[in-house]
Amino acid sequence: MRIDAVELRQVRMPLKSPFRTSFGSEYDRSILLLAVHSGGAVGWGECVAMSDPLYSSEYRDAATDVLLRFLLPALADRELRATDVGPLLERFRGHRMAKAAIEAAVLDAELQLRGESLAGYLGATTDRVAAGVSVGIADSIPALLQEVGGYLDSGYRRIKLKIQPGWDVEPVAAVRREFGAELPLQVDANTAYRLSDARQLARLDEFDLLLIEQPLPEEDLLGHARLAEQISTPVCLDESITSAESVAQAITLGACEVVNIKPGRVGGYLEARRIHDVASAHGLPVWCGGMLETGIGRAANLALAALPGFVLPGDTSASDRYYAEDLTEPFVLEDGYVRVPTGPGIGVAPDPDRLSARTESVQTFTPGS
Ligand code: NPQ
Ligand code: MG
């Protein structure tokens, strides 16, 4: 294929309710959507960078800038396959979320032109994925229990509680007491602790959690390895894992016992699959993370989460976990599972009216101009 043009759309999606994590509260989701036009096909990619650099150093407007200034020009005016995107962009440091978005859009276009689904291309072995849900820090324990109860009534098969110092043992104990020992339960700290908090985190041991996600800073692999020796809850890395190489190092160091795979964080679906392969070869379970994606990113994540190493439920929730109205046909829970799209490419496209209603601005990149 060849890139004829790329639309970069700034989109704002109101959240049904604020989402609070250890790094702050979000009231709506700012998104960069890419549409790659190629030979009559339109491929879509969703950039998961937030509006502010709070989860990672990337943010939406930086992604837009680096795409327009460096990444798209490096892909223009040539025959291109999705597998070329990573190598062609490798000399530009970092900006993995921006790179992932353009690779995803090229992949969608290429697979549409070939009539092949992303799930089939990646090597999916199932047509539905068990859905977990990420639950933000609540105003009170009763409010948390009510929210968790609602998700369980909807059918979610795993609960993830966001934690931070001052909101950890108490909410976990309350959820265990209310919903029982059999509930698949895990926690995510988004880097809010230090190794000196190991004794506090060891208090979570008795609750038989599936895992604790990213307790320590992104750069602190050694700290995670030390922590893993001091607690029985398996240590799962999110922010720290940026590539197949980094996951191999983390595993070797004993810093990572479970892997959260987010395609945006690692530079794309192809690198995400390599991480899946490395982790699986080491016998580690992996699961698919989430970044409050619209149906565009959600569809592609479901294709990835259908690979055989994704043995834990992901943050691959239904559309209505976050949005009253999605940009695509909504993804829905069916008996606690979400269906993997089967159409060509990612198998979905935004509804034009809903997309224009949510679009704040559009920039167009055209090769050779
Ligand atoms: C995580 N996601 O696993 C993240 C982080 C996260 C589903 O828990 C706006 C945009 C708000 C992206 C809040 C989940 C966000 C966001 C949290 C990502 O660490
Ligand atoms: Mg996380």
Side-chain angles (χ1 to χ4, degrees), residues 40-181:
V42 181
W44 290 93
E46 177 166 345
C47 180
V48 300
M50 298 174 66
S51 56
D52 300 359
L54 301 177
Y55 163 82
S56 71
S57 63
E58 291 189 76
Y59 61 100
R60 186 190 66 174
D61 292 350
T64 306
D65 187 77
V66 79
L67 279 158
L68 285 168
R69 207 184 282 275
F70 300 105
L71 307 184
L72 297 177
L75 302 176
D77 301 310
R78 60 188 304 152
E79 256 322 293
L80 188 68
R81 286 170 310 160
T83 50
D84 299 326
V85 172
L88 285 169
L89 302 183
E90 200 176 357
R91 66 196 186 94
F92 300 113
R93 306 295 176 95
H95 297 284
R96 292 182 178 84
M97 292 174 179
K99 292 174 177 175
I102 184 60
E103 185 198 76
V106 169
L107 196 47
D108 184 30
E110 177 181 326
L111 292 173
Q112 283 181 46
L113 292 165
R114 283 218 300 268
E116 184 179 358
S117 72
L118 179 62
Y121 173 80
L122 291 175
T125 52
T126 180
D127 58 4
R128 61 176 201 166
V129 167
V133 61
S134 178
V135 184
I137 292 163
D139 290 334
S140 67
I141 298 290
L144 176 72
L145 296 179
Q146 188 176 352
E147 189 179 350
V148 170
Y151 293 132
L152 294 176
D153 290 344
S154 310
Y156 283 105
R157 288 177 176 268
R158 181 225 71 189
I159 298 292
K160 158 169 142 182
L161 301 181
K162 291 291 191 177
I163 60 167
Q164 65 181 15
W167 181 265
D168 44 36
V169 174
E170 220 197 327
V172 168
V175 168
R176 266 284 177 252
R177 198 180 321 120
E178 183 79 8
F179 301 106

Side-chain angles (χ1 to χ4, degrees), residues 203-288:
R203 292 180 61 202
L204 294 170
D205 285 353
E206 65 171 295
F207 300 106
D208 199 23
L209 300 176
L210 289 166
L211 56 90
I212 179 170
E213 181 179 345
Q214 198 71 40
L216 308 181
E218 190 175 324
E219 303 78 9
D220 195 7
L221 282 189
L222 191 53
H224 282 100
R226 295 260 152 81
L227 179 66
E229 292 170 346
Q230 294 174 54
I231 65 177
S232 63
T233 308
V235 171
C236 171
L237 295 182
D238 173 358
E239 286 90 334
S240 293
I241 301 302
T242 55
S243 64
E245 202 173 323
S246 73
V247 84
Q249 291 202 11
I251 294 168
T252 303
L253 204 55
C256 184
E257 300 167 282
V258 183
V259 190
N260 168 332
I261 303 185
K262 290 176 180 167
R265 195 192 64 227
V266 305
Y269 286 88
L270 301 178
E271 188 71 9
R273 182 172 57 182
R274 288 190 279 272
I275 292 175
H276 160 273
D277 295 347
V278 169
S280 298
H282 282 85
L284 264 63
V286 311
W287 56 281
C288 184

